[in-house]
Amino acid sequence: MKKTTAFSIAMAMTAISASASDVVLDVWTARIGAKIPATMYGIFFEDINYGADGGLYAEMIKNRSFEFPQNLQGWRVLGDIKVMEDGPFFRNPHYVRMIPSGHRDKATAIENEGFFGVSFEKGKKYRFSIWARVPDGGPDKIRVELCDPASDIDWTDMARAQITIDSGEWKKYTVTLEPSHTAENGVVRLFLDRDSKHPVDVEHVSLFPVDTWNGHENGMRRDLAQALADLKPGVFRFSGGCIVEGTTETDRYQWKNTVGPVENRPLNRNRWEDCFTNRLAADYYQSRGLGFYDYFLLAEEIGAAPLPVLNVGMVCQYQNNPEDHTPLDSLESYIQDALDLVEFANGDVSTKWGALRAEMGHPAPFGLKYMAVGNEQWGPEYVKHLAPFVKAIRKQHPEIKIIGSSGPGVDDDKFNYLWPEMARLGVDLVDEHYYRDEDWFLGNATRYDSYSRKNPKVFAGEYACHPKGNKRNLYKGALSEAAFMTGLERNADIVNMCTYAPLFANVNGWQWRPDLIWFDNFNTMLTDSYEIQRLYSLYKGTDVIPVTMNGKPAAGKEGQHGIYASGVCDSNADSYIVKVASRPLERL
Ligand code: AHR
């Protein structure tokens, strides 16, 4: 091999292995290969492990619209409380009528337990809002309190506010509460005034920290969103995962139910309510307070390309039979949802869906470029379902890159069947998922070195090392993910994006692990895998450049060597990773 332009880095390997000798790495800077796409390292958000309600979504009240099947789930009641069902928001029709006892010492009240407690902090501000009316005209008063039942501090000192409900018509009332104490397992209490004479109706009872991510009122937890922003992701895949498919057709993810006024977004049963574990999450519902508008906005604010995943007319194949899928001749509304989503994200404000985006606060287009259709679907049914989507999207939106699925595995019959089919359908990228052990990840660091360069590009859409015998976030798991990612970036000419999964887990209510970021109501815990993601994303290369070690390819095949090299130093040494950057050298 003739060096044209190269610089050499001599590395004393003794620091790594006492028996190893010096090696010379040559970085062939004149042989620039593929550009490493901006989308290379991204994030994937799914509402699993209480990732949305009880997680990223900063709402602190559980079952705020009284729409859980047991309408008062999450609430304790005192006195005469009636659940009504002719409320002002037709897709969430239930509300609560609080009826006065007629005696000042007999209270009428409701109390919300929050998500694993209502956790509030001294010195912070919280925005309480409620829709209410006095059906017979009133006026009357209600009182809201933040309380800590475990504390011996006088509850009345915590935070309280009185609200006068002055109308027989439904109206939104808002007050700001500033607790004088911190409580981890607090509650929110709502009392009818002790001198009350009139029933008061309440609906959509909501409590948010004022300090949300970028101050958005229907906002996200600042710390969790910041953890995402700190990754500087190039792509943001949402909203699933299995929840896109649904356990049944009814509870599949439908983006149109997640936009518009939050009060009227219908509740959905979460597909992760009891899966895989014995931890029955009987209160795991999706308020859809966090919806597609919010995801697009977050993508924009953290500089990531939005990548929505849409249902292809098929329910989760693990949980259903072929006859449970939507028949091929009934896919029209599903396909229309895909086309309308492009209009919602990119359309002019004079269009129906573009106008809704503008009304929600974002007249400028979101710049949608990618769309995945189907998650982990497989078999000929998937191909038949996907084909009309591809045709319609290509016809109306040739600018959109379509992502197809290769099924849930990466070395089985389903996978081997789907790849050629995806190529035949002409999708732009194929989504591959890997939840494997450390041997698999280390062994697959070279996976893409020999992939066909003629097929669609690869999106490593879900991956995480599940260490053998111990499915936890372990350092060796994170390290083997790093080795694998090295191979992704080295093959950036065909692997255009990758996203770890799952992203979030609430320590008090998870269904799946390992996960990238753990949290409780106050704290965020970033894992080793997170640090690997951050390292790779922040120090992503710009171009693939050949690297040789002592004159031989450092990794991969001739002509495909990247700016990274990974491998075994010698037979006595542990696996290690050499990260070589052609510029700037300070990154080493
Ligand atoms: O990330 C958890 C789940 O793993 C996703 O919902 C699904 O796509 C995959 O099976």
Side-chain angles (χ1 to χ4, degrees):
M1 188 191 306
K2 188 169 176 295
K3 271 192 218 176
T4 44
T5 306
F7 62 82
S8 300
I9 305 164
M11 298 186 71
M13 300 309 286
T14 45
I16 298 166
S17 165
S19 62
S21 55
D22 287 0
V23 298
V24 176
L25 296 178
D26 285 323
V27 181
W28 297 74
T29 52
R31 293 204 200 155
I32 307 284
K35 286 265 170 233
I36 294 161
T39 52
M40 188 74 218
Y41 297 113
I43 52 172
F44 160 48
F45 177 81
E46 175 170 23
D47 188 2
I48 183 173
N49 305 321
Y50 288 84
D53 296 78
L56 183 61
Y57 188 44
E59 174 63 82
M60 296 163 73
I61 304 276
K62 184 198 287 178
N63 191 12
R64 64 185 176 188
S65 294
F66 310 103
E67 294 300 330
F68 282 19
Q70 281 75 42
N71 299 94
L72 290 172
Q73 202 172 340
W75 295 91
R76 290 175 62 204
V77 303
L78 183 64
D80 197 356
I81 299 292
K82 279 200 174 63
V83 175
M84 314 290 285
E85 56 182 358
D86 58 343
F89 308 113
F90 72 95
R91 296 203 283 189
N92 287 323
H94 295 93
Y95 61 95
V96 153
R97 176 159 293 171
M98 303 176 75
I99 300 166
S101 68
H103 190 290
R104 51 184 289 116
D105 289 333
K106 283 182 163 179
T108 302
I110 55 175
E111 174 186 284
N112 192 268
E113 67 188 27
F115 297 96
F116 311 105
V118 175
S119 307
F120 50 86
E121 280 179 86
K122 178 182 174 178
K124 296 215 165 149
K125 291 187 180 162
Y126 297 85
R127 187 183 299 109
F128 175 83
S129 66
I130 192 166
W131 284 79
R133 68 172 180 182
V134 186
D136 65 16
D140 221 311
K141 289 186 193 126
I142 56 174
R143 189 176 75 247
V144 54
E145 294 180 357
L146 299 185
C147 309
D148 181 4
S151 156
D152 53 8
I153 297 162
D154 184 350
W155 295 339
T156 55
D157 286 344
M158 289 266 181
R160 50 161 44 188
Q162 207 160 54
I163 304 170
T164 301
I165 313 300
D166 58 5
S167 171
E169 301 302 318
W170 286 103
K171 264 173 56 178
K172 185 177 176 180
Y173 298 83
T174 304
V175 289
T176 302
L177 299 169
E178 291 187 59
S180 57
H181 296 86
T182 294
E184 201 169 341
N185 283 306
V187 292
V188 177
R189 291 195 176 135
L190 199 60
F191 286 89
L192 208 51
D193 188 71
R194 61 196 310 189
D195 296 320
S196 178
K197 304 271 180 302
H198 313 271
V200 175
D201 293 341
V202 296
E203 161 69 312
H204 199 87
V205 185
S206 172
L207 182 73
F208 274 82
V210 169
D211 184 25
T212 54
W213 165 255
N214 280 347
H216 299 305
E217 276 202 22
N218 180 52
M220 302 183 191
R221 254 177 70 168
R222 176 182 285 285
D223 57 340
L224 295 182
Q226 187 62 51
L228 301 184
D230 290 346
L231 288 173
K232 296 210 185 322
V235 66
F236 175 26
R237 178 183 187 239
F238 53 87
S239 56
C242 290
I243 67 161
V244 167
E245 303 162 64
T247 304
T248 63
E249 195 194 352
T250 333
D251 47 48
R252 73 191 190 277
Y253 201 92
Q254 298 182 65
W255 74 267
K256 287 177 180 168
N257 286 342
T258 75
V259 294
V262 284
E263 295 87 351
N264 207 19
R265 299 183 193 172
L267 188 82
N268 200 40
R269 190 165 170 173
N270 193 306
R271 177 246 184 271
W272 290 108
E273 61 192 356
D274 62 355
C275 215
F276 295 130
T277 69
N278 294 326
R279 304 167 67 111
L280 183 72
D283 60 353
Y284 199 0
Y285 290 86
Q286 299 169 283
S287 69
R288 267 99 170 243
L290 200 56
F292 262 38
Y293 175 86
D294 313 279
Y295 295 136
F296 278 118
L297 192 60
L298 179 67
E300 181 175 271
E301 290 175 343
I302 61 180
L307 194 175
V309 185
L310 293 190
N311 186 294
V312 69
M314 296 174 76
V315 275
C316 177
Q317 284 167 281
Y318 285 118
Q319 298 176 308
N320 292 280
N321 300 316
E323 60 274 17
D324 298 323
H325 303 310
T326 306
L328 291 171
D329 58 7
S330 308
L331 285 176
E332 253 165 70
S333 67
Y334 289 74
I335 296 171
Q336 196 56 49
D337 280 356
L339 301 175
D340 289 343
L341 181 60
V342 184
E343 187 175 295
F344 178 72
N346 295 349
D348 189 83
V349 294
S350 60
T351 62
K352 175 179 171 190
W353 294 103
L356 178 61
R357 183 191 70 242
E359 199 180 297
M360 291 181 75
H362 201 285
F366 280 121
L368 176 67
K369 293 195 185 109
Y370 303 95
M371 184 184 288
V373 186
N375 171 67
E376 288 195 356
Q377 315 295 168
W378 66 75
E381 293 112 306
Y382 174 49
V383 176
K384 285 186 210 146
H385 277 75
L386 180 60
F389 280 84
V390 174
K391 195 171 164 204
I393 297 169
R394 288 277 182 255
K395 187 168 170 215
Q396 289 205 25
H397 295 289
E399 74 283 9
I400 296 293
K401 291 205 182 309
I402 302 172
I403 299 170
S405 159
S406 60
V410 282
D411 44 19
D412 55 10
D413 291 349
K414 298 182 177 89
F415 179 86
N416 293 333
Y417 164 75
L418 275 179
W419 251 104
E421 288 298 311
M422 290 301 110
R424 188 178 62 77
L425 285 183
V427 302
D428 299 286
L429 293 105
V430 175
D431 182 9
E432 298 190 354
H433 293 180
Y434 347 81
Y435 296 102
R436 301 298 177 96
D437 65 25
E438 53 276 39
D439 289 347
W440 187 92
F441 274 92
L442 291 171
N444 277 270
T446 52
R447 175 182 179 85
Y448 294 103
D449 294 342
S450 50
Y451 250 51
S452 158
R453 266 49 197 171
K454 293 193 187 121
N455 279 336
K457 307 288 184 197
V458 175
F459 170 33
E462 292 185 25
Y463 66 95
C465 176
H466 287 198
K468 261 180 271 179
N470 194 348
K471 284 193 181 187
R472 286 169 186 264
N473 287 92
L474 298 182
Y475 180 63
K476 65 177 175 184
L479 207 54
S480 50
E481 286 154 9
F484 179 68
M485 290 161 71
T486 298
L488 301 182
E489 187 167 328
R490 186 175 63 250
N491 287 282
D493 59 324
I494 53 161
V495 184
N496 285 182
M497 39 177 92
C498 67
T499 53
Y500 180 101
L503 191 53
F504 284 122
N506 189 318
V507 294
N508 295 307
W510 55 273
Q511 294 86 36
W512 180 294
R513 70 180 179 195
D515 305 287
L516 202 64
I517 300 167
W518 289 81
F519 62 88
D520 63 16
N521 285 350
F522 283 148
N523 305 291
T524 308
M525 214 285 284
L526 307 175
T527 60
D528 292 335
S529 292
Y530 176 94
E531 296 303 344
I532 293 291
Q533 293 292 321
R534 180 156 56 180
L535 182 71
Y536 274 63
S537 178
L538 265 51
Y539 301 107
K540 183 171 72 63
T542 54
D543 304 88
V544 177
I545 301 175
V547 176
T548 53
M549 188 185 287
N550 290 345
K552 299 221 169 83
K557 288 187 172 174
E558 190 76 31
Q560 292 173 6
H561 332 305
I563 58 163
Y564 296 104
S566 69
V568 177
C569 176
D570 65 38
S571 55
N572 296 320
D574 291 335
S575 291
Y576 69 95
I577 297 165
V578 180
K579 185 167 182 179
V580 181
S582 59
R583 61 180 177 290
L585 274 172
E586 305 77 69
R587 285 181 185 166
L588 279 171

